[in-house]
Amino acid sequence: VRIKSSTPPTSCTIRRTGSTSMLSRLATSTLRSHAAVSRAATMSVRAMSGTCDVVLVGCGVPARGMGWYHAKQMIDGDVPSAKLTDIVEPWFLGAGADSDAGQEFAKFKDENEGINFLSSVDDMAQTSGKKLALISGRTADNPSLLKEVIAKGCTHIFLEKPGAPSVGELEEMAAYAEDKGVAVYMGYNKNVTKYVTLAREFEAKTPGAVTTFIHNNAYGTDELGECFERNSEGMLKNMAVHELALLVTYYGVTADTIESVVADKEYSNCLTIGDYTDFAKIGFTITTTAGKTVTVKADRCGGSNSLAIVEVDGVEKFRSMTPDAELEAWVAPRQAANPDWMPYFLLQHDDYVTLKERACAHIASGAPGAPEGLATIGIAVDTLKVAEKLTPLLTKELL
C-alpha cells in the first residue's frame, strides 16, 4: 500500500447547471417511485408470510439508547413485519434498577405489558420457530451475546455496527453462526439511505465520476476527550465505519484490494487526549487495484449531516445530503416535541425502519440469502479489516 498526503486546491464555489438540478429532481422522483413499489411488494410478502418474532437485546435508557428507539419503532407499528416479543436489559433490570435512568426504564416496562422483559438472554424461553435477535448493546458484549441467542434458538441475528471489537472476534462469530446455520445481518443504515442511493445512481451513469462521502457529527471540541474514551475503538471503527462499509459493499474495497491511500493532511486532525489517540477529523482517498477511486471525510465537530459529492475532473456535478429540506421539515416538530431524544433518532428514522422491515419481511417469507441492501457479517468482517489496516497507516502519517 502506498500512503501519500495531499493538499486540496483553494476552495471555490461551483454553480450547478440546470441539467444537474433536473437530474437530481429526476433521481429523487425515481427513488420515491421505487420506494412505493418496494412498499407494495413488502405488503404483498407480509400478506403471505405474516410477521417475524423479535427479541431486542440491550435496550438502554428511554429517549437516549439506540436499543430503546429500535423497540419504540416496533411497538409503534413502524415495522409491520416485526413482532417484538422480548426485551433483554441486564443493567436496568439488575444493578441499575434503582438509578434515575432505571426508574425511567421501569415506566417504559410498565407501559408495555405485552412484551416479556428479561434481565438476561438465559431467562428467555427456548425458541421453536423463526426469531430475530436484534443485539444493540455494548460492542464488547456481542461475541458472547451472539452465542447466547443462538443457544436459545434464534434463527437470525441483527448486529449494530461494528459487530465486534476486533476482526478476530468478528471472524470467530461469523464462523460460529455459519456452523449453526444462523444468518447475521448488520445495522449499516447508510447502505439503504436516500442520499447515498441518489449519488451512486448519478455516479453509475456519469463517465469519469468520483464520489466523496462526508460524515459530520456535532461534538464540541471540549467533548472530544469523553468521545475518544467512550468510543475507544477509534473513529474508523465507529463514526466512519458506515462509510467504510459503503466502500466494501459498493466499491470493491477490501484490505487486500487497497492499492494506495492518499491522506488529506490539511483536512485531517489526529489528537492525543489523555490516554486516547484518535482522529477528530480524517480525510483520505483510496484507489483500488481495479483502479476505482473513492474519498471519505469524517469530522466529529462538523455538524449533524452527511453528504455525497460526485465530481468529474475535480468539478462538482452532483451533491446529495441528509438531512435534506424535506427531512428537516419532518424532523423539526418531532424533535421540538421530544427534546430529550437523541437527534439522530429522527434524522435516521426511515433508515432504521427500512433495515428492520427488510430483515423481518425477508425472514418471515422464508426467502434464501440476505435482504436487499442489508450488509451481512461477511461485509462487516471486511469493513473491520479495512479499518484496522487504515488506522495505523493514517495515524502514523498524521501525527
Side-chain angles (χ1 to χ4, degrees), residues 70 79 158 186-192 350-360 371-375:
H70 280 308
V79 189
F158 183 108
M186 301 299 301
Y188 285 118
N189 63 295
K190 290 192 175 181
N191 281 29
V192 300
D350 288 349
D351 300 337
Y352 299 143
V353 167
T354 297
L355 288 174
K356 291 193 290 290
E357 177 57 26
R358 287 187 184 181
C360 290
E372 179 189 356
L374 264 70

Side-chain angles (χ1 to χ4, degrees), residues 110 126 165 197 353 367:
D110 291 342
Q126 194 71 25
T197 301
V353 167

Side-chain angles (χ1 to χ4, degrees), residues 65 94 115 126 243 265 296 321 326 330 350 381:
I115 298 171
Q126 194 71 25
E243 283 66 35
K265 281 191 168 184
V296 170
M321 177 178 175
E326 181 181 358
W330 183 87
D350 288 349
V381 168

Side-chain angles (χ1 to χ4, degrees), residues 91-104 106:
W91 177 248
F92 292 124
L93 292 175
D98 293 332
S99 65
D100 291 342
Q103 296 302 308
E104 290 183 52

Side-chain angles (χ1 to χ4, degrees), residues 257-340:
T257 64
I258 296 175
E259 174 68 23
S260 66
V261 182
V262 179
D264 187 337
K265 281 191 168 184
E266 183 164 323
Y267 177 88
S268 304
N269 188 16
C270 187
L271 302 174
T272 297
I273 303 177
D275 295 330
Y276 301 92
T277 297
D278 199 3
F279 305 109
K281 298 171 64 177
I282 185 65
F284 56 90
T285 298
I286 288 176
T287 300
T288 69
T289 52
K292 188 66 178 177
T293 298
V294 61
T295 295
V296 170
K297 293 184 177 181
D299 184 353
R300 292 193 186 276
C301 305
S304 294
N305 55 61
S306 293
L307 302 89
I309 300 173
V310 184
E311 298 178 328
V312 176
D313 295 329
V315 178
E316 181 177 323
K317 297 295 184 180
F318 182 87
R319 173 185 294 237
S320 54
M321 177 178 175
T322 188
D324 57 16
E326 181 181 358
L327 180 56
E328 286 182 331
W330 183 87
V331 166
R334 290 163 177 81
Q335 191 69 57
N338 301 280
D340 54 336

